[in-house]
Amino acid sequence: MEAGVRVVRGPDWNLGDEDGGEGHVGTVTGQVGDDSVKVVWDGGQVSTCRGGLKKGTHDLRVLDNGTVVETWLQALDIFIPFVKNVKNQEYKAYDGNVQSVIILISAHCATSKTATTAAITSGELKHLTHPSGKGNTGQVMEVLTTRSLIQVEWENGSRNVYRLGYKGKVDLQYEEEAPGMECYLQHLPFFKLTKYCRLKEDEECEVDNIAEGDTVCICVGREKLEQLQKSRSGWVVGMSEYIGKTGKVKGFAPNGDAIVVFGSKKYRLFPRVLKKVSKISVGDRVRILHDFEKFHLLQNGRHCNPVMHNTLGKVGEVTKVLEGDEGLVITFKECQGVYNPACCTLAPGEQIDSITISHGDNNSGISLGCGSSLHVLLMAITNHDEKFALEILKKDPKLATARIQGETPLHFAASCGLLSIAQALVAAGANINEQNSDGNIPLYLSMSNAEVAEFLIKQGCDVTIANKTGQTASHLAATKGCVPILNLLLSKGADFNSQDSNGDTPLHSAIFNSQISAAEVIISWPQLDIHRKNKEGFAPLHYAAFKGQSAIVELLLKRDKTIVDTQRDDGCTALHVSAAEDHHEVMKVLTEGGGAKVDRKNSKSQTSLHLACQKCNLDCVRLLIKKGAGTNSKDDKGNTPLHLAVLAAPKENELMLMALIGQSPKKKEDHSKHESKFPEVPSCTKASSAPDKCARCLGNEPEILFVPWGHVVIEWFAGLVATICTYVSNVVFPS
């Protein structure tokens, strides 16, 4: 559902003449519940209409969705504009607070098959206030370019621009009806809610009424996220980095996907992969998610210990809201932890639950009450009360080796970054190589605090131990860009060629997170396997090209320039990858610093120029042509880059074609300057084939050698367009 869609009554309409009668038009302004929308009709009436999700009941048909499109191509006039041919249309202010513009003038249906309606074209919003006030009348003077805005002249002579469905708002209502255009009602599609629907029980997560400004998080695993995104607005590898992290909804795409901002990143996400996150404050009572697998998924990137498993489905109190996206500190009667807000739902008025935990040197399962020494020690560590924690440990040193379902106090101290407590625990006999339920050793959890990590490494912990996802401390140090820690790990025997469950090495992790300094340390390691690929088939060079990391590409080529033309399993070189992803700077490094072969073909016989044209990456096309890329090279389907450019996005087509045929955009000539230089050719002399050029300019215009349709001499761009049209009719759409 898009706020701003223009609608008329549909086949299941049951609200009488609440819309003003058959043929009258309204604007969808928002959603009400799971399957209803609010519609403001042009006469000022307001209705709640069904959206067709639950019982297939369609109260509305879509007359015009041009008011909500985002690109000029989608905003083409699907309906015939009528306003300029209609006189004496009068409107009055709908209310004192200008919220949106409703400009349709409609009349009663002429027959059972047609309805007299209006169609509008739109433009930019210039003013949001009307000087005449509520109840005054004005006349529509102009309809602007996406049918969502109009210009009105009021009785006092002032003019302003108002919204018609612009972001689902309505400012005005009509005073007098006027005829619009005719359309076949049966040909109009049903209005159906698709954006905010409640998901089925067997789907990944439930999304209720996500709206602009809401806080949401990605609530599905990587495989499901990739699968769903590929069926919608597309998949980007970087999306998986934000699983379990919160972002803000900034708007919605025309297909209903949410535009979500995570810090400096912005993605279009299918609402099925999102979970709305409640606003939670200190003192709120919350209930923890009961689903074990979903809890671990949403806790991604946050410390998750076995004690927290006992809190699933339980109620605790928020005692602190951490900065950024670090989460909430939630306290129960026997324990405390840091939770993702997405794992919590508000539980006002409910009692805080008691949590039963157990501990023992060998997971003995001894019941632990609220007042036990271990419980008090862990609470002190979690609360960063170092002095109190050290006092407890001094009284009972055996607590250093105690465990809570696999988790030791050293894990807690490392996660909290408390050096003094970590030192005391190790001195008391804590095992620095102890793995918790996720396979993490304390070193892995200490990467947010360089001092603790350095201490544990120097104490002799095994730096090659991997957790259950296959990641070592080197992976996390590379992810966070901890250069001193990487150097220290290397001196203690770390293996920078180790691969995690996704096949990523620490270098892949550094590339993914744009950690150039970390990448430089890893690349300088003599034993590095520079050809090692992850499970997606990316060697470090290809991965750096894919992520647009030109500095890392340069470092890799500095180490070994011979890798510049190595190919993936699909035959693509790093130049192919960067051309497809529009990474112009990476291409410059590959061609100028690495000497990449611009005409190397992939398994589909495509060159980098083919991919750049296919994706309409104009800067990349220009660079490749400048470097001598062949414009006549054919892929396995016989297409040249020019064929693909013809089929590319219309906005870029003209510049793309001009680049391929060797011409550059020219500024408009000042023909008045030619008169003194060429007095024998008057500047006013015009050539019929090129009305914007004087005769002298025509004489200097170079001829164009156009390929691949043979050697055709074309004097003017009109000829170029004619040739393209011939190609499209004969090749793309043959009769």
Side-chain angles (χ1 to χ4, degrees), residues 491-549:
S491 69
K492 297 297 183 179
D495 181 10
F496 288 168
N497 289 322
S498 62
Q499 294 177 280
D500 63 15
S501 58
N502 292 320
D504 289 330
T505 66
L507 182 53
H508 286 91
S509 298
I511 293 169
F512 182 83
N513 291 280
S514 305
Q515 300 293 355
I516 298 172
S517 297
E520 186 174 9
V521 172
I522 298 170
I523 292 170
S524 65
W525 186 47
Q527 287 77 42
L528 180 70
D529 183 359
I530 207 169
H531 300 282
R532 188 160 295 193
K533 299 177 181 179
N534 63 16
K535 289 187 177 180
E536 293 182 342
F538 284 103
L541 181 65
H542 295 94
Y543 199 48
F546 176 72
K547 297 296 291 182
Q549 300 293 340

Side-chain angles (χ1 to χ4, degrees), residues 537-549 553-554 556-557 563-568 570-591 594 596-598 600-602 608 611 620 624:
F538 284 103
L541 181 65
H542 295 94
Y543 199 48
F546 176 72
K547 297 296 291 182
Q549 300 293 340
V553 169
E554 193 169 358
L556 288 165
L557 294 179
I563 65 173
V564 69
D565 289 320
T566 55
Q567 295 174 289
R568 285 165 37 93
D570 58 6
C572 287
T573 65
L575 191 62
H576 282 92
V577 174
S578 54
E581 295 298 319
D582 199 19
H583 294 316
H584 180 254
E585 292 301 319
V586 173
M587 295 179 66
K588 288 180 66 176
V589 173
L590 291 168
T591 54
K597 296 177 181 179
V598 294
R600 179 65 66 92
K601 293 187 174 184
N602 63 16
S608 300
L611 298 184
C620 298
L624 288 167

Side-chain angles (χ1 to χ4, degrees), residues 31 33-35 53-54 193-201 203 205-210 271-272:
Q31 183 171 347
D34 292 336
D35 188 33
L53 280 178
K54 291 185 176 179
L193 276 171
T194 57
K195 181 184 296 182
Y196 305 137
C197 59
R198 184 182 295 272
L199 301 177
K200 297 177 182 178
E201 292 181 359
E203 292 179 329
C205 60
E206 189 175 272
V207 181
D208 293 320
N209 298 328
I210 292 178
R272 274 186 58 183

